[in-house]
Amino acid sequence: MSMLINATQTQTVTMSSLELVEFINSQRKEGESVLTHADFMKKVPKVLGEKDAGLFSDIYADAYGRQQRCYVFPKREACLMAMSYSYELQAVVYDRMTALEAKAVQAFSLPNFADP
């Protein structure tokens, strides 16, 4: 999972479309079809809208070093995408993103200088 932290101590935890597809597939029950990244990519503009989807567009290098399209979502958009599959999945993604935010805050906190 990606974590971007700027100097103002504001944490923005993100999840790429690749990570989200992998996470969705890990939550599927045995016998359910596997979600492909290509199918997920087609759904993003339908769920978020053409204009808004472009705000989260990114590029990654695939296993062959080729540049491929992907998306990088903050919590709200990751949850919206998950909700487009099921409310239960949205809850799991929300919980996952919240846990990542807590981890980012903990990793960024300063040591207790009063107790060396």
Side-chain angles (χ1 to χ4, degrees):
M1 304 298 148
S2 302
M3 290 183 284
L4 305 173
I5 301 174
N6 66 26
T8 62
Q9 296 184 11
T10 301
Q11 291 78 27
T12 301
V13 176
T14 60
M15 185 177 275
S16 74
S17 53
L18 294 161
E19 293 167 323
L20 194 49
V21 167
E22 182 179 326
F23 190 74
I24 290 169
N25 283 330
S26 76
Q27 299 299 308
R28 296 214 165 174
K29 295 174 180 65
E30 191 173 324
E32 287 186 312
S33 62
V34 174
L35 176 63
T36 66
H37 189 250
D39 288 338
F40 184 86
M41 292 291 287
K42 292 175 193 171
K43 193 170 186 177
V44 173
K46 294 175 185 174
V47 174
L48 301 181
E50 292 284 338
K51 181 181 170 188
D52 288 341
L55 298 173
F56 308 104
S57 184
D58 205 356
I59 302 289
Y60 75 97
D62 69 10
Y64 301 103
R66 300 174 298 195
Q67 291 192 345
Q68 302 289 336
R69 289 185 55 237
C70 70
Y71 291 98
V72 177
F73 303 114
K75 185 178 190 175
R76 177 182 181 271
E77 285 69 22
C79 289
L80 287 172
M81 288 306 302
M83 188 171 47
S84 73
Y85 292 95
S86 76
Y87 293 122
E88 293 81 13
L89 183 60
Q90 181 209 6
V92 175
V93 169
Y94 179 86
D95 291 344
R96 175 72 175 139
M97 295 293 283
T98 300
L100 289 172
E101 287 171 338
K103 189 175 180 181
V105 169
Q106 187 179 31
F108 193 73
S109 63
L110 295 174
N112 181 356
F113 293 110
D115 184 20

